[in-house]
Amino acid sequence: MHGGNQTGVSDFLLLGISENPEQERVLFWMFLSMYLVTVVGNVSIILAIGSDSRLHTPMYFFLANLSFTDLFFVTNTIPKMLVNLQSQNKAISYVGCLTQLYFLVSLVTLDNLILATMAYDRYVAICRPLHYVTVMSPGLCTLLLTSCWALAVLYGLMLTLLMTKVTFCGSRKIHYIFCEMYVLLRLACSNTQITHIVLITTGIFIFLTPFGFMMVSYVRIVRAILRIPSASSKYKAFSTCGSHLAVVSLFYGTLCMVYLQPIQTYSMKDSVATVMYAVVTPMMNPFIYSLRNKDMHGALGRLFRGKGFQRLT
């Protein structure tokens, strides 16, 4: 080991979910298939929205950005995981580990903020329909999205810089599929109490505040929908929000399984929950959003028939 930085280690070892060669082969093909499905699904959503002028609305503008975030998110973690599953050398450098951590934190935060922005869009569309065009103007949409990106980038940078102050010694083995904050803190030999406090307090602000906003928005949305006299109009309103609620539930449900616990209790079983939010959720989002959406069905159909590509070019 060559101590080229303050941590006293040059590499970490990403051991993943299993060290059994037979299981690793199965995991490789499983994760490769999931990665390809995720890439195709999210790229299709982005191209369909970009190629169809009927989908150039705030809701689909935010959805395209959510798909881009999910695409970037899985590309940050899965390719390295696939290489490790096929290789005897499972090392990742200290800089590489922190880089992966930075993008992980930033992109999860961005996903969270975009979902909150989409909830606001649905709130305005259903509770203030007559003002929707003026409220959700292109300028406001751009401002909201820029703010989401800026906050996510700064939050990721802050936590990554905080991790550079942590000293590592002893075991370098990470029984996990990527470099993750809680796992790295468990390997630290310095006092991580301040880091843990910052992680919890900022996490509450960054994640629970948008979640609370979404819950309040949807309470008001449900009340507004229940006042609609027409059954068909009620169904249409619920269907536009149902897909977003499904994604929110999947995203926060899996995050809570992993992070609503003390660092000391963080164990191997949490790798399975991590796979849910890091791999399964980005893979499922395109299917959830297009499942009962006629506009998206039409756009995807035109895209795959070649008409969408002609418009893009």
Side-chain angles (χ1 to χ4, degrees):
M1 257 189 334
H2 302 286
N5 54 53
Q6 63 176 338
T7 65
V9 297
S10 57
D11 294 324
F12 292 103
L13 295 175
L14 278 176
L15 300 179
I17 297 174
S18 172
E19 294 181 69
N20 182 297
E22 289 295 323
Q23 292 180 354
E24 284 187 336
R25 277 192 286 272
V26 173
L27 288 170
F28 173 82
W29 289 110
M30 182 183 77
F31 283 121
L32 177 61
S33 301
M34 294 170 78
Y35 179 63
L36 293 176
V37 170
T38 303
V39 170
V40 171
N42 283 288
V43 168
S44 297
I45 292 288
I46 294 168
L47 292 177
I49 292 172
S51 65
D52 197 325
S53 59
R54 283 165 288 194
L55 301 185
H56 293 176
T57 63
M59 181 177 76
Y60 293 108
F61 173 66
F62 295 129
L63 177 56
N65 277 273
L66 184 69
S67 290
F68 175 79
T69 305
D70 286 341
L71 184 63
F72 197 174
F73 183 85
V74 294
T75 302
N76 177 50
T77 54
I78 296 184
K80 176 61 178 174
M81 187 199 318
L82 293 174
V83 170
N84 284 355
L85 287 170
Q86 288 290 90
S87 171
Q88 293 298 317
N89 181 14
K90 301 181 185 298
I92 182 171
S93 68
Y94 172 73
V95 173
C97 192
L98 288 188
T99 301
Q100 193 179 68
L101 175 66
Y102 166 74
F103 283 112
L104 175 70
V105 172
S106 297
L107 293 169
V108 171
T109 303
L110 184 58
D111 244 9
N112 167 62
L113 296 174
I114 290 177
L115 286 172
T117 306
M118 293 174 76
Y120 177 68
D121 172 76
R122 292 299 82 206
Y123 165 75
V124 177
I126 292 173
C127 298
R128 301 179 61 191
L130 298 179
H131 303 282
Y132 181 75
V133 175
T134 53
V135 172
M136 297 304 294
S137 63
L140 179 63
C141 291
T142 303
L143 178 62
L144 288 172
L145 191 62
T146 303
S147 300
C148 290
W149 275 91
L151 192 56
V153 166
L154 290 173
Y155 184 61
L157 185 61
M158 182 193 74
L159 290 190
T160 305
L161 289 175
L162 201 61
M163 286 301 296
T164 63
K165 306 299 181 184
V166 175
T167 303
F168 298 97
C169 53
S171 174
R172 298 174 295 150
K173 295 180 179 180
I174 300 176
H175 292 275
Y176 222 62
I177 58 177
F178 48 72
C179 291
E180 198 276 335
M181 182 76 72
Y182 272 23
V183 176
L184 290 176
L185 287 176
R186 289 199 69 177
L187 295 179
C189 56
S190 59
N191 190 332
T192 60
Q193 185 175 2
I194 293 176
T195 304
H196 192 203
I197 291 171
V198 172
L199 185 60
I200 295 297
T201 53
T202 56
I204 288 172
F205 172 74
I206 289 290
F207 289 96
L208 293 189
T209 301
F211 179 72
F213 172 78
M214 280 186 266
M215 292 302 98
V216 171
S217 297
Y218 271 102
V219 167
R220 294 184 177 182
I221 286 171
V222 170
R223 286 177 180 173
I225 291 174
L226 292 176
R227 288 197 293 266
I228 299 175
S230 168
S232 60
S233 297
K234 279 183 182 178
Y235 175 80
K236 185 177 179 181
F238 271 122
S239 65
T240 60
C241 298
S243 56
H244 183 255
L245 272 175
V247 170
V248 168
S249 301
L250 187 60
F251 179 78
Y252 279 99
T254 51
L255 277 183
C256 289
M257 287 170 63
V258 177
Y259 295 113
L260 286 187
Q261 60 179 304
I263 288 180
Q264 291 75 16
T265 64
Y266 214 55
S267 64
M268 185 65 186
K269 67 180 175 60
D270 298 302
S271 285
V272 179
T274 302
V275 169
M276 287 295 294
Y277 91 78
V279 184
V280 177
T281 301
M283 181 182 71
M284 293 301 299
N285 284 355
F287 295 100
I288 293 172
Y289 276 109
S290 60
L291 193 62
R292 295 168 64 186
N293 190 315
K294 292 181 180 179
D295 293 332
M296 187 59 71
H297 278 173
L300 288 170
R302 286 185 289 275
L303 178 71
F304 292 128
R305 287 195 298 270
K307 296 178 182 180
F309 286 112
Q310 292 172 12
R311 289 179 186 174
L312 282 171
T313 55

